[in-house]
Amino acid sequence: MESDYGVPRELSPLQKSRSIYHPDLPSCLQGTTVRVEFGDATTVADSAGAHAISQSFPHTYGQRLVHFLKATAKVHGAQVISDLPAMRVGVVFCGRQSPGGHNVVWGLHEALKIHNPKSILLGFLGGSEGLFAQRTLEITDNILSTYKNQGGYDLLGRTKDQIRTQEQVNAAMAACNALKLDGLVIIGGVTSNTDAAQLAETFAEAKCSTKVVGVPVTLNGDLKNQFVEANVGFDTICKVNSQLISNVCTDALSAEKYYYFIRLMGRKASHVALECTLQSHPNMVILAEEVAASNLTIFDLTKQICDAIQARAEQEKYHGVILLPEGLIESIPEVYALLQEIHSLLRRGVSVDKISKQLSPWASALFEFLPPFIRKQLLLYPESDDSAQLSQIEIEKLLAELVEAEMNRRQKEGSYKGKKFNAICHFFGYQARGSLPSKFDCDYAYVLGHICYHILATGLNGYMATVTNLKNPSNKWRCGAAPITAMLSIKHDGRAMTIGKPLVHPATVDLRGKVYELLRQNARKLLLDDIYRNPGPLQFDGPGVESRVVSLRVEDLDYMGRIKELNEYLDKVRSIVKPGCSQDVVKAALSAMSSVTSILSVMSSNGSSA
Amino acid sequence: MESDYGVPRELSPLQKSRSIYHPDLPSCLQGTTVRVEFGDATTVADSAGAHAISQSFPHTYGQRLVHFLKATAKVHGAQVISDLPAMRVGVVFCGRQSPGGHNVVWGLHEALKIHNPKSILLGFLGGSEGLFAQRTLEITDNILSTYKNQGGYDLLGRTKDQIRTQEQVNAAMAACNALKLDGLVIIGGVTSNTDAAQLAETFAEAKCSTKVVGVPVTLNGDLKNQFVEANVGFDTICKVNSQLISNVCTDALSAEKYYYFIRLMGRKASHVALECTLQSHPNMVILAEEVAASNLTIFDLTKQICDAIQARAEQEKYHGVILLPEGLIESIPEVYALLQEIHSLLRRGVSVDKISKQLSPWASALFEFLPPFIRKQLLLYPESDDSAQLSQIEIEKLLAELVEAEMNRRQKEGSYKGKKFNAICHFFGYQARGSLPSKFDCDYAYVLGHICYHILATGLNGYMATVTNLKNPSNKWRCGAAPITAMLSIKHDGRAMTIGKPLVHPATVDLRGKVYELLRQNARKLLLDDIYRNPGPLQFDGPGVESRVVSLRVEDLDYMGRIKELNEYLDKVRSIVKPGCSQDVVKAALSAMSSVTSILSVMSSNGSSA
């Protein structure tokens, strides 16, 4: 099988035209010389966890932020990367394929060869399994030619992908040593980047000379924090799904007799569902985060949907489109409790057909109430991140059935007088994941690939490649690197299986954030007025090619920019208040700074962040 | 609700840019004057049915073919359409929405207004129900502005849509009389055009002055015959689905652990599945026509898929993509027999929960063998064309389950030694149907709309608008009209419910045709070599915008062109063999013509056609 990886292949005319597209580099990475500026030492957002995290990551915690700047930028103390010794770097796809992943490999390869043509990039074949087994393919321009700007991970493949057990970590280290790697680049989402952080720490501890770099590539869009504005693949996934959702909306409006229940991929967090709602304006979306925050039961949800259907029926509308994130099932409190019981029995080796008898009376009652198809799906073995197999659980069918039963009941009882309710269910998952990546994802991934090189050339370990200011055109993007340890946190909310272990946690939709606010403002119009909007199929030419996802446009991200701006203010204060300045100036500065300091102390001790 | 039809709406940037696109007219329709050339009187392909059809359609059978030509084209006996009295025309969407339908309305409206600004186009609101109820919306440029080149049927809506019972036909006639319509344009597929033929005959019989015109608009692509090369919507549907199938192929190749079973819309015929296979190169497709021709049972099918999976496993491939047309379920002989029993019980009013007990022992055994989800779906009430509710029957899930059981059995028994088989099922239906139409469908529908006007202006009744030479650029298209009666046939194969009734039958995939031949030639490579191909999302700019579906490129269609060419030969013979020419010339002509005539007599009496 290995022999099939990286083989040249027949491309369609559109694939061909995409394969010759070459993204621009931001000005800071252009040319053969790049300056590296070190910022402050990093901490974590959750100050309560800082101590525990620093204990677990003694070698890689508290490293400094890094900015990559144009060689001409005059910055005090910056180091210059120009011609450098040849490097040997390995790259591995971890976790679910995300459109754009190939371009990270391309960008990294290009940067390596620009700085020293003797540098070698080895791709691990078949994900982390290939890493453990030391199965590699040397990346060349020739091999890349039919994979540039193309979807999927089929250049190298991937497997189940975790690097977590002692055995796995040892195998990874053995591979890096045997192949004499200067760097190992891990392309993946929250789980893979947690693994990358752990690997970097272990390598440092063991004095292994391979440096580990993480790249934020996940269609879920949930690897978001102060340093990371967006993930490779999210833009494409949302655009492809929004196209399909819009098509279904048009269909609903033409036939006027169906309610479409559409489940979307995206794991625990509902970013994909939220973004698609803002792009295509379906009638309703139920975010997992809302359900968790309000402790809504499955019956509350059913009632909520039925009430919406009834409100539409009063306007003589008998069609509609309802989006459901796949993570919804785990956000419903009683279903989550049931899943926890099932998973713990499964882990104890109880066979599937005996589980229902060993459930607590309460969980058993819920289980028996559910239709057979969903029971079968709830009994699936949990995933490596301890969550249920979300892509296999048809929450859309469950809700459609419950809603139908409730609407029939209301009709019989006379409280609903409209036409019969008809549902059609869809799952939009695998049909978007392998898509040709959008221009944004092509550009972003390619630039991240270049940054990986600069991180390794600087000799950094345990960093993630970052690009900020993403909402602007790519020539204005800012490039940098942040220690992955600064993104770790420890969950205490009593629901995570992994209490006490520092992880890069998936960022959920912020119910106090601007993006959610935008949804709330429009929710009633979406529900009742059918203001469907069709962004159309992903275009690679013409207007709209440069469009960004709504969440990137609305959110006020630029954290790194603000940190830099703040530092400029601090520098300015220092330069104004030099010995010799007037007593009044010193007094004013002192008073102002003391006030700022006490405000910040209070805010920080109240604990974290958005 | 009616007040919502045709309302202006917010368009996305891509929708806006599409809404200002204006298709070109073929040269024959340009300007304000068009010549009408009458060809020969038509017959039907199935000569055995000709008598019965002519009896059923005394007023509309045997009408002449019509060609619309450039005003400057000098053709003997051609009639000229230029300025004409104002007309009142009604237009109605019948049957399933198909991308491009809106452009028929636009083209028709534009042609009406060009030839007389006082002409009026009334759209019936909510399909045939709106026709019966005389609910109309006067079409204006203003109303059309946000619907030009847009998907769906939401400008006017549609309902269940049949015009068949005496009551329905009377209501339609009453509407046409009350609204003083000169013409009624019916936009739809095989069923709706059968209805149009019947309506035209009834109107002629009743001396109703409204002329009926049919337009071939159906995403199934099954309204194909000597006169009709393609249907509006098929191009878009195949392109959108091929994109998604390709994405899934890329996904399969990246993860290498799933078999995807994908069911495609398209009713009884497998045109969509075949075309998508040729565009995206999945591993396997099972056409309903193949299954029917070979009388394959559900167990044969299961075995066939399992053997393919095993052949791939021998090459260490544990992933794949298998396409299944929705019509497959009805093509499996024993399932079809079961469905016939169920439908006949349902029609007799037997309630769903009592049906299984009233089945014949043989059908009952099959029914009980099937998993519960499929049993429930088989029990759904049949559609108006007597077929099962194909879009609701999850044949992909049934086959995936049977294949999984068989692979497990083979593994246990030791005849299969590969990895565990994993299936993921998808139904690609509603997410393509509402798509923005491709440039081809926009152009084709718009031109058909213009032709409808010319048919009505010529005073023709019971005709379908036709465009031929479609594989070439639109300026070379040939425009005409053919009597719908010439497309009727009577089925005798013992399986159609409708024996003895002349219908426009859906054209199935021709297993002796060039398109199927192309599939057969490549089947082995598709199955084993993973030559996946991604045509990418539908583009409206750049290369590939003008691409045609493979079937249109491969098939050697131009029937109308050949009829014209033949006529030219006949004319030439007549002009050479004029009284006064030599005896030898007459003898040669006589001998050749007598030979041609006897060959053709033999061929015709053997019965029909491809």
Side-chain angles (χ1 to χ4, degrees), chain B residues 265-516:
Chain B
M265 253 189 184
R267 308 293 302 153
K268 286 168 198 281
S270 309
H271 300 288
V272 173
L274 177 54
E275 175 64 31
C276 289
T277 304
L278 296 173
Q279 287 192 22
S280 59
H281 299 180
N283 297 103
M284 202 171 176
V285 62
I286 298 175
L287 304 181
E289 290 81 353
E290 294 173 313
V291 173
S294 317
N295 278 303
L296 296 177
T297 66
I298 189 99
F299 305 104
D300 295 333
L301 282 182
T302 305
K303 187 175 171 301
Q304 195 176 317
I305 298 173
C306 289
D307 291 348
I309 290 168
Q310 204 155 348
R312 289 178 56 81
E314 276 157 27
Q315 302 196 2
E316 286 191 57
K317 289 177 178 161
Y318 296 101
H319 62 274
V321 178
I322 300 173
L323 301 191
L324 305 165
E326 64 177 6
L328 186 60
I329 189 86
E330 280 197 333
S331 71
I332 304 167
E334 75 276 19
V335 180
Y336 183 76
L338 170 61
L339 279 168
Q340 294 300 92
E341 285 198 28
I342 292 173
H343 292 173
S344 112
L345 291 168
L346 284 172
R347 280 200 204 87
R348 274 193 269 141
V350 178
S351 77
V352 164
D353 48 316
K354 300 224 168 65
I355 282 188
S356 84
K357 289 189 193 74
Q358 298 197 32
L359 292 170
S360 69
W362 190 88
S364 172
L366 174 62
F367 190 73
E368 294 306 324
F369 160 79
L370 295 170
F373 76 88
I374 203 101
R375 271 188 251 161
K376 200 174 152 192
Q377 294 162 353
L378 294 179
L379 288 174
L380 293 169
Y381 203 87
E383 302 250 12
S384 60
D385 65 351
D386 293 322
S387 69
Q389 289 201 22
L390 301 177
S391 59
Q392 309 296 323
I393 302 179
E394 296 173 302
I395 175 83
E396 75 283 14
K397 279 208 178 151
L398 175 60
L399 279 173
E401 279 200 12
L402 295 175
V403 166
E404 185 174 3
E406 169 66 11
M407 292 310 294
N408 289 344
R409 197 192 60 74
R410 290 185 187 190
Q411 197 154 30
K412 225 172 196 169
E413 164 198 283
S415 61
Y416 171 68
K417 293 183 177 62
K419 290 189 200 167
K420 194 177 169 337
F421 164 82
N422 287 307
I424 291 179
C425 295
H426 272 302
F427 171 43
F428 289 172
Y430 303 96
Q431 62 267 64
R433 221 166 62 167
S435 170
L436 279 174
S438 66
K439 180 173 182 301
F440 175 82
D441 280 329
C442 289
D443 295 354
Y444 184 27
Y446 169 82
V447 172
L448 285 171
H450 269 264
I451 295 173
C452 288
Y453 164 77
H454 293 293
I455 292 173
L456 293 171
T458 316
L460 304 171
N461 181 33
Y463 275 74
M464 188 184 291
T466 63
V467 179
T468 51
N469 201 25
L470 282 171
K471 71 174 155 189
N472 287 308
S474 63
N475 57 2
K476 293 192 174 160
W477 289 354
R478 283 194 281 270
C479 301
I484 306 177
T485 49
M487 304 169 193
L488 297 173
S489 62
I490 300 176
K491 277 230 177 173
H492 296 277
D493 68 3
R495 280 184 53 173
M497 288 291 298
T498 45
I499 293 169
K501 224 178 153 188
L503 298 174
V504 181
H505 283 102
T508 53
V509 169
D510 179 5
L511 299 182
R512 293 168 305 167
K514 286 192 180 180
V515 188
Y516 182 68

Side-chain angles (χ1 to χ4, degrees), chain A residues 106-117:
Chain A
W106 175 25
L108 173 57
H109 178 260
E110 199 179 74
L112 277 165
K113 296 292 183 182
I114 288 172
H115 290 90
N116 192 326

Side-chain angles (χ1 to χ4, degrees), chain A residues 1 4-5 10 12-15 97 151-154 157-158 243-244 247-248 250-251 253-257 260 281 315-317 376 394 397 424 426-428 430-431 433-436 532-542, chain B residues 1 4-5 10 12-15 97 151-154 157-158 243-244 247-248 250-251 253-257 260 281 315-317 394 397 401 424 426-428 430-431 433-436 532-542:
Chain A
M1 252 322 276
D4 270 13
Y5 287 116
E10 191 204 328
S12 73
L14 184 64
Q15 281 182 300
Q97 47 271 37
Y153 277 6
D154 45 329
R158 60 106 174 163
Q243 168 205 358
L244 301 180
N247 290 351
V248 170
T250 304
D251 204 77
L253 198 57
S254 301
E256 301 191 292
K257 56 181 179 177
Y260 293 92
H281 299 180
Q315 301 195 3
E316 285 191 59
K317 289 178 178 162
K376 200 173 153 192
E394 297 173 302
K397 278 205 181 155
I424 290 178
H426 273 301
F427 172 43
F428 290 171
Y430 303 96
Q431 62 267 62
R433 220 166 61 166
S435 170
L436 279 174
Y532 304 141
R533 182 180 174 280
N534 195 337
L538 199 56
Q539 298 294 294
F540 297 107
D541 250 316
Chain B
M1 251 321 276
D4 270 12
Y5 287 117
E10 191 204 329
S12 73
L14 185 64
Q15 281 182 301
Q97 47 272 36
Y153 277 5
D154 45 329
R158 60 107 174 163
Q243 168 205 357
L244 300 180
N247 290 350
V248 170
T250 303
D251 203 77
L253 198 57
S254 301
E256 300 190 291
K257 57 180 180 178
Y260 293 91
H281 299 180
Q315 302 196 2
E316 286 191 57
K317 289 177 178 161
E394 296 173 302
K397 279 208 178 151
E401 279 200 12
I424 291 179
H426 272 302
F427 171 43
F428 289 172
Y430 303 96
Q431 62 267 64
R433 221 166 62 167
S435 170
L436 279 174
Y532 303 141
R533 181 179 175 280
N534 196 336
L538 199 56
Q539 297 295 294
F540 296 107
D541 249 316

Side-chain angles (χ1 to χ4, degrees), chain B residues 44 46 49-58 61 485 488-490 502:
Chain B
V44 291
D46 170 20
H51 182 69
I53 295 169
S54 74
Q55 295 282 304
S56 306
F57 293 85
Y61 180 77
T485 49
L488 297 173
S489 62
I490 300 176

Side-chain angles (χ1 to χ4, degrees), chain B residues 25 97 100 113 165 184 201 229 249 264 318 328 339 352 385 442 597-598:
Chain B
L25 277 178
Q97 47 272 36
K113 295 292 183 181
T165 65
L184 174 65
E201 179 65 28
E229 294 183 0
C249 291
L264 293 168
Y318 296 101
L328 186 60
L339 279 168
V352 164
D385 65 351
C442 289
T597 316
S598 53

Side-chain angles (χ1 to χ4, degrees), chain A residues 91-113:
Chain A
V91 61
V92 59
F93 287 129
C94 283
R96 296 184 169 76
Q97 47 271 37
S98 207
H102 284 147
N103 274 24
V104 177
V105 180
W106 175 25
L108 173 57
H109 178 260
E110 199 179 74
L112 277 165
K113 296 292 183 182

